[in-house]
Amino acid sequence: MFQINHLSITHTQDLRSMVPDFSLVLQPGDKAAVIGEEGDGKSTLLKLLFDEALISDYAEWSGQIQRGQTRMGYLPQELPPQALHRYSLRHGPDSA
């Protein structure tokens, strides 16, 4: 089981509440989607759920996250330049 209780995320620079008092329970086999406008904190929420260090330089959070035996993965919206370079070398325009 994966459980979030009263999670709040606040941007540290402008003190804007990105995620206010969010709770969720997912049982094995459940699926969830995160939908919202640009800048609403979707990516920040997902980064936090994967590894709180990913948001520590720009956001603070409170609440409880219980991951249990959940296996998680995270693919960032933007890949680091070295990853893009490796991809272009392997899958260049002539690799079709």
Side-chain angles (χ1 to χ4, degrees), residues 24-58:
L24 172 75
V25 176
L26 292 174
Q27 300 292 341
D30 286 352
K31 294 175 179 53
V34 180
I35 301 170
E37 297 290 328
E38 182 178 341
D40 279 351
K42 300 175 302 294
S43 295
T44 300
L45 171 63
L46 295 175
K47 287 178 188 178
L48 170 62
L49 297 179
F50 182 69
D51 179 0
E52 67 184 74
L54 295 173
I55 68 163
S56 63
D57 61 337
Y58 69 92

Side-chain angles (χ1 to χ4, degrees), residues 5-19:
N5 291 310
H6 302 289
L7 177 68
S8 294
I9 305 173
T10 304
H11 198 284
T12 54
Q13 190 170 34
D14 61 8
L15 302 179
R16 180 174 52 94
S17 176
M18 297 165 64
V19 177

